[in-house]
Amino acid sequence: MPPKEKVESTEQVLQAVILADSFDERFQPITLETARCLLPLCNVPLISYTFEFLAVAGVQEVFVFCCSHSDKVKAFVKKYEKSSNMKINTIVSQELMSVGDAMRELDAKQLIDTDFILVTGDVVSNMKLDQVLEEHRARRQADKSAIMTMVLKKASPQHRSRSVGDGSLFVLDQGSKECLHYQPVKAFKSTREDRRMTMNMEIFDKHPEIQLRNDLIDCQVDICSVEVPALFTENFDYQDIRADFVHGILTSDLLGKTIHFHEVSDVYAARVRSTQMYDAVSKDIISRWTFPMVPDSNLQVGDCYEYRRGLVYKEKSVVLSRTCVVEEKVVIGANTQIAERAVLSNCVIGKNCIIGANVKIDNAYIWDNVVIKDNCVVQHSIIANDAVLEQGVTINKGCLISFKVTVGANTTVPAYSRLTALAEGGEDDLDAELISDPAVVGATGRGRSFTEAEGSDDEDDDEDPKNKQVNMLAFDMSELKLAAKEQEDSASDFESEASDLEEDQISPEEELDREVAATLDRAFQDGHDVDIAVLELNTLRMATFSNFKEMRKRVIPGVLKHIDPVAKLGSGKTAKEILSRWGPLVGKMIHDEEDQIDGAHVLHRACATLYRDVVQAQKVFAPALRYFYDEDILEEDAILEWYHSEKSQQGTDIEKKLREVAAPMIQYLEQSDSEESDGEDDEEDEDSE
């Protein structure tokens, strides 16, 4: 393919800065031998997706900042530039230790003369930036203090493209599109302070209506003014773009700068910042969520993938035996050979690989030039270039097998193992001799187990180690619970004060119980509006990384306990008065039919628990169930599902009697449903006539 003609224009050039280094160690030992931005993602170097994203955005000049493995990055960029219409400059600095260092280097070199796009080298996205660029420029024209616009993607907390251990809590003004507060949210918090959000209440003076959001993916695509690198230079303690820079700008009274946001929802955007995200983004590419950045678009020069039924992508030169089985969601690179009775499913196979007979590969990522001999099993792992698995090898889930490792015949590699063919300290001493560990790679193997060096400068070193674990490929949360208990048993060894120890011994569930109860008590005592109470509860939910089910379990009993079954109308404590005032609060915790069924179970159990006298319990349960139905908080199908479930038919004597109280209402609902069905049948008969 001939090189594309370079863009030449007298107009202002749209520039972008790519931070190619990750400044962490999540992909080690693989990244000891190559840059993370060059790792193959569905057989295409990761940074290629970032380049394509910028090209679609109309970027004309790119500056790639790199430190580790800079020679390999420069060589790849030089090759890529030949087929690109962008001018790409590689800036190498061996002193870079953080994003802050890169931004200070950018400021020192004075390379940027206008607003620019700042991204990391692991961004995969198909969104267009026309609108956000237009909004940012218009905002800058009106207000020079608006120095940055962050692009945020809406996604549910359980969305696959969200990093499990890394989240973000944003306080936003939807009217002005201004970000008012930012706080990183980790799945596991080391201290009580980590579980709380501290925000300047003066924000409410200027912004009476705000949103607290943890349903946003921050893939670190930012539109920056030329002031941003200069602010990093002025504040030398800024290292991280979010935790330091954004947080510092938003909490500073002296700088007088503002940061805005642009929310997208119907596009794809994610960062491959961990092996867990590598797995998730790979699956999204194969499932075509990233279209047009899919394998059969052939992003690399020389690729020739064909798209087949079942989300299978295969290059023309692949050799498949007649008896091999290629199931769904599989990518196979050029010149790869698959032998008899091999079974491939949900996996990516690189170029020039040899897959032997009776091999089973599931949810795995096999890179180029890998040899897997007969009767091997590979589960949910990454195997890097030039690795060899001898006959009968089993690779259990979560393993990282680095370059040129050989695993000897009939060896089983335990889950979450990381193997390298570099000698101990070989990343620093090229003459060091590898001493293979037969216990790990077998008698005829080549390699050793890799462990992080003490004193490593990983950005996550100060965090709860469980946050690293949940970001690992194929990590099982049930195993994490076991590890968590072991860590709690020894927690006292790391506490310096008895009062701190007493606080930290409170479980997250107990703390959430107390916080929800305190929030509801304040709302009832001070006569808060329902919307204010909802805001406080949602803030608490996001700060504690809880879900709506956990909140329902506490909010419904918290409302019901304020009902006095013997109170008279006008006292403000009857079921009718309490539910009319606070019932909508319960409705804010219920969103779909599954939530409704769960809400009915919680209501049933709460009435039986709060009121030991069955007569009093009935006086609360019956009107509550009727109120929730009348207000469409619980719909007919959900109530019927609750009533007929085995769970509702079991329990204490009071629970069983409460269920009997609901029988007339159930009979009415079923009769209404039957009449509607008969009416529909009659209409169909008339139509057929």
Side-chain angles (χ1 to χ4, degrees):
M1 179 183 295
K4 298 178 183 177
E5 188 177 333
K6 300 293 178 184
V7 171
E8 293 183 6
S9 174
T10 57
E11 297 180 1
Q12 194 174 51
V13 173
L14 179 57
Q15 298 173 308
V17 173
I18 297 178
L19 304 177
D21 281 273
S22 58
F23 307 110
D24 64 46
E25 300 170 352
R26 292 181 174 182
F27 279 82
Q28 286 191 0
I30 290 174
T31 48
L32 295 176
E33 301 182 62
T34 192
R36 181 197 287 189
C37 67
L38 299 182
L39 301 184
L41 186 72
C42 291
N43 293 338
V44 175
L46 180 51
I47 199 172
S48 293
Y49 293 94
T50 309
F51 281 142
E52 291 294 324
F53 162 57
L54 295 175
V56 171
V59 171
Q60 296 154 289
E61 185 174 26
V62 180
F63 297 95
V64 180
F65 274 80
C66 62
C67 175
S68 62
H69 308 290
S70 56
D71 291 343
K72 293 181 179 180
V73 175
K74 287 174 65 177
F76 175 80
V77 168
K78 183 178 180 181
K79 179 181 177 182
Y80 183 90
E81 189 182 19
K82 292 178 181 178
S83 59
S84 172
N85 62 353
M86 299 185 296
K87 181 181 179 183
I88 306 176
N89 309 279
T90 306
I91 312 298
V92 178
S93 175
Q94 301 301 330
E95 306 300 321
L96 300 183
M97 301 296 290
S98 68
V99 173
D101 291 340
M103 298 303 287
R104 285 182 277 274
E105 184 79 7
L106 178 64
D107 183 50
K109 292 184 179 296
Q110 294 293 298
L111 298 170
I112 301 294
D113 53 18
T114 184
D115 294 347
F116 64 97
I117 302 169
L118 176 65
V119 298
T120 54
D122 53 11
V123 169
V124 178
S125 178
N126 59 5
M127 67 177 163
K128 296 182 179 179
L129 296 178
D130 304 28
Q131 186 178 350
V132 63
L133 285 166
E134 184 179 338
E135 288 178 6
H136 176 82
R137 288 164 178 161
R139 197 179 290 121
R140 288 280 294 166
Q141 287 281 359
D143 181 8
K144 295 298 182 184
S145 66
I147 60 171
M148 177 189 284
T149 300
M150 303 181 293
V151 181
L152 307 174
K153 181 182 182 298
K154 183 177 180 179
S156 65
Q158 289 78 35
H159 196 278
R160 181 168 67 188
S161 61
R162 291 186 67 130
S163 181
V164 175
D166 304 301
S168 300
L169 181 64
F170 293 94
V171 179
L172 307 174
D173 185 329
Q174 280 290 350
S176 64
K177 298 297 180 182
E178 187 176 345
C179 180
L180 308 174
H181 182 81
Y182 166 81
Q183 184 167 317
V185 178
K186 300 296 182 182
F188 299 92
K189 291 85 174 173
S190 301
T191 65
R192 188 181 181 87
E193 287 71 24
D194 291 339
R195 297 192 288 270
R196 296 181 177 274
M197 185 186 79
T198 303
M199 187 174 71
N200 185 355
M201 300 306 291
E202 293 180 3
I203 288 175
F204 290 96
D205 295 336
K206 297 181 180 179
H207 307 273
E209 292 187 9
I210 64 172
Q211 291 184 351
L212 288 93
R213 305 279 297 274
N214 79 331
D215 62 338
L216 298 170
I217 295 176
D218 178 13
C219 51
Q220 295 198 355
V221 176
D222 302 321
I223 314 299
C224 302
S225 73
V226 292
E227 296 174 64
V228 170
L231 286 167
F232 272 93
T233 300
E234 294 171 11
N235 299 272
F236 210 78
D237 57 335
Y238 287 173
Q239 302 299 330
D240 183 81
I241 189 74
R242 292 289 185 264
D244 296 329
F245 178 77
V246 171
H247 185 268
I249 295 296
L250 297 180
T251 56
S252 173
D253 296 327
L254 302 176
L255 295 175
K257 306 297 182 183
T258 58
I259 295 175
H260 293 74
F261 71 96
H262 177 85
E263 183 179 337
V264 297
S265 59
D266 56 349
V267 297
Y268 187 86
R271 281 189 63 199
V272 184
R273 58 181 303 170
S274 64
T275 51
Q276 174 250 325
M277 285 303 299
Y278 179 93
D279 181 38
V281 176
S282 295
K283 286 178 166 55
D284 289 341
I285 291 173
I286 295 172
S287 299
R288 306 183 76 80
W289 291 109
T290 58
F291 187 85
M293 296 182 190
V294 290
D296 55 305
S297 292
N298 298 310
L299 300 181
Q300 275 193 122
V301 175
D303 282 357
C304 190
Y305 284 97
E306 296 177 339
Y307 174 48
R308 298 189 172 190
R309 186 174 57 186
L311 298 173
V312 173
Y313 307 86
K314 183 180 75 70
E315 292 210 66
K316 291 183 178 180
S317 54
V318 170
V319 178
L320 301 177
S321 73
R322 285 189 174 185
T323 57
C324 73
V325 178
V326 178
E327 297 183 352
E328 62 178 12
K329 299 181 181 179
V330 176
V331 180
I332 308 176
N335 302 314
T336 287
Q337 302 175 35
I338 313 294
E340 296 83 1
R341 297 178 301 283
V343 179
L344 312 181
S345 61
N346 297 285
C347 62
V348 178
I349 311 295
K351 300 181 179 182
N352 305 306
C353 294
I354 299 176
I355 310 299
N358 299 307
V359 168
K360 290 181 174 58
I361 301 176
D362 180 47
N363 272 303
Y365 303 93
I366 314 299
W367 295 356
D368 295 347
N369 305 307
V370 172
V371 176
I372 301 179
K373 297 187 179 180
D374 298 350
N375 303 309
C376 291
V377 176
V378 182
Q379 300 175 350
H380 221 155
S381 297
I382 297 175
I383 301 181
N385 297 23
D386 302 302
V388 177
L389 306 185
E390 299 288 354
Q391 291 190 12
V393 168
T394 297
I395 306 293
N396 284 302
K397 66 179 183 179
C399 292
L400 300 186
I401 311 298
S402 193
F403 300 92
K404 298 182 179 180
V405 168
T406 298
V407 181
N410 302 313
T411 300
T412 297
V413 179
Y416 312 115
S417 297
R418 291 189 287 175
L419 306 184
T420 179
L422 288 177
E424 194 84 38
E427 57 272 22
D428 301 316
D429 182 6
L430 297 178
D431 296 326
E433 183 178 352
L434 170 66
I435 301 176
S436 295
D437 185 353
V440 174
V441 296
T444 59
R446 179 178 183 272
R448 63 178 179 87
S449 289
F450 172 81
T451 53
E452 291 182 11
E454 292 186 9
S456 65
D457 51 0
D458 191 337
E459 65 174 9
D460 300 328
D461 277 349
D462 295 332
E463 296 178 4
D464 190 316
K466 295 191 288 298
N467 286 314
K468 285 187 180 181
Q469 290 177 293
V470 296
N471 275 306
M472 290 165 53
L473 178 67
F475 192 81
D476 189 338
M477 296 295 284
S478 64
E479 297 175 23
L480 181 67
K481 293 177 182 177
L482 295 175
K485 186 178 187 307
E486 294 169 2
Q487 292 179 12
E488 288 170 4
D489 291 342
S490 59
S492 59
D493 297 338
F494 301 96
E495 297 295 337
S496 57
E497 297 181 6
S499 59
D500 291 338
L501 174 60
E502 184 176 348
E503 286 185 345
D504 285 345
Q505 284 178 333
I506 299 172
S507 71
E509 291 78 12
E510 292 173 325
E511 183 177 358
L512 185 60
D513 288 342
R514 298 198 315 191
E515 294 290 347
V516 170
T519 300
L520 291 174
D521 288 344
R522 282 195 306 272
F524 275 82
Q525 290 169 10
D526 299 341
H528 289 172
D529 290 338
V530 168
D531 289 341
I532 296 297
V534 170
L535 177 63
E536 291 184 357
L537 289 170
N538 277 331
T539 303
L540 178 62
R541 176 179 61 82
M542 291 184 283
T544 57
F545 227 67
S546 302
N547 54 39
F548 281 107
K549 183 174 182 177
E550 291 296 318
M551 299 303 290
R552 283 194 298 275
K553 189 167 68 174
R554 294 162 172 83
V555 170
I556 292 176
V559 170
L560 296 179
K561 76 175 185 179
H562 289 86
I563 297 175
D564 184 352
V566 298
K568 295 183 178 180
L569 196 63
S571 66
K573 295 183 179 180
T574 65
K576 181 178 181 180
E577 291 168 318
I578 293 292
L579 291 171
S580 297
R581 175 77 170 83
W582 295 102
L585 177 63
V586 175
K588 296 293 185 180
M589 302 293 135
I590 293 175
H591 302 92
D592 56 27
E593 185 173 349
E594 185 177 345
D595 290 355
Q596 293 175 32
I597 297 169
D598 178 68
H601 283 294
V602 173
L603 173 64
H604 185 197
R605 185 167 54 253
C607 288
T609 304
L610 290 171
Y611 305 98
R612 297 297 180 183
D613 182 271
V614 68
V615 176
Q616 292 187 356
Q618 290 172 344
K619 289 181 179 180
V620 174
F621 179 68
L625 186 63
R626 186 73 198 189
Y627 170 84
F628 289 145
Y629 171 70
D630 290 341
E631 296 300 319
D632 292 328
I633 295 172
L634 302 181
E635 295 180 355
E636 176 182 330
D637 290 343
I639 295 175
L640 294 175
E641 180 72 23
W642 159 76
Y643 183 81
H644 292 296
S645 67
E646 290 186 12
K647 186 176 178 181
S648 72
Q649 299 174 39
Q650 300 171 353
T652 63
D653 290 340
I654 294 182
E655 287 180 81
K656 292 176 181 177
K657 290 180 180 179
L658 289 181
R659 184 174 176 276
E660 293 174 5
V661 170
M665 182 178 178
I666 299 300
Q667 185 178 2
Y668 165 76
L669 294 177
E670 290 179 335
Q671 184 176 356
S672 299
D673 187 43
S674 176
E675 289 174 357
E676 288 180 8
S677 300
D678 292 342
E680 291 175 0
D681 292 342
D682 292 341
E683 289 178 5
E684 290 178 2
D685 292 341
E686 290 176 4
D687 292 340
S688 63
E689 293 175 1

